Amino acid sequence: MYKKILVATDGTKLSRMAVEAASQLAVNFDAVLTIVRVVPPYQKTFFDGSSTLSIKEMTAIEKEWEDQARASLDQLRKTTVAQHISVNAVVTKSSNISEALLKVAKKSKADLIVMASHGRGGVKRVLLGSETLQVLTHSEIPVLVIR
């Protein structure tokens, strides 16, 4: 049924549950699993272009975030490879998480996206947004949401 499964992770306990669910689906369907972590760019202050850090310092911070993301994906990859799953690990940088996930899904030709929802509601959802809701709204393939 599903041959290419994409799972999004942000390192939280809930997203690890999504990785576990996606891994089990990959085993059941003999599918390739792509684990994705989106790293945001360093945020400047509210005043466009103003920052107390130099470009070099911001670049170093972003590189550190990407290295940490790669290390966490390497750990997840080792776990899933031990289950005899074919795994790809992707770290991508974007300020728009849902858009980045959808781009990786399209590029990897995924036929299922698995991701967690933190279940925020009310004002928190309005203020923080919902990446899961954005993926659900704009995805052209099925999305499995883990709560």
Side-chain angles (χ1 to χ4, degrees):
M1 185 169 187
Y2 300 113
K3 291 299 174 192
K4 295 182 179 181
I5 300 170
L6 180 138
V7 61
T9 182
D10 61 6
T12 61
K13 182 180 179 181
L14 191 55
S15 72
R16 284 190 298 275
M17 290 172 55
V19 172
E20 289 172 15
S23 297
Q24 189 59 53
L25 287 170
V27 168
N28 292 345
F29 293 117
D30 192 29
V32 174
L33 183 64
T34 300
I35 306 173
V36 181
R37 179 115 182 226
V38 180
V39 177
Y42 185 85
Q43 293 294 316
K44 296 178 183 174
T45 61
F46 289 105
F47 302 103
D48 192 35
S50 65
S51 177
T52 57
L53 297 177
S54 70
I55 297 293
K56 185 177 179 181
E57 291 169 318
M58 286 189 277
T59 302
I61 290 169
E62 288 177 345
K63 184 181 181 322
E64 183 178 333
W65 290 345
E66 288 177 35
D67 291 345
Q68 290 172 352
R70 277 187 183 69
S72 71
L73 289 186
D74 285 344
Q75 284 300 109
L76 291 172
R77 192 167 195 255
K78 287 177 186 173
T79 303
T80 51
V81 167
Q83 298 172 350
H84 306 289
I85 301 170
S86 178
V87 182
N88 299 312
V90 176
V91 174
T92 187
K93 185 168 76 171
S94 177
S95 57
N96 188 327
I97 295 168
S98 58
E99 185 178 284
L101 292 172
L102 291 169
K103 281 182 182 178
V104 174
K106 188 171 191 166
K107 185 176 180 180
S108 66
K109 298 181 180 170
D111 44 24
L112 175 68
I113 298 172
V114 179
M115 61 190 304
S117 174
H118 293 281
R120 292 183 187 105
V123 175
K124 285 185 180 180
R125 173 179 275 170
V126 172
L127 294 175
L128 299 174
S130 170
E131 299 302 333
T132 305
L133 181 60
Q134 290 300 312
V135 171
L136 281 167
T137 303
H138 298 288
S139 179
E140 296 176 2
I141 61 173
V143 179
L144 173 62
V145 179
I146 306 298
R147 283 191 70 171

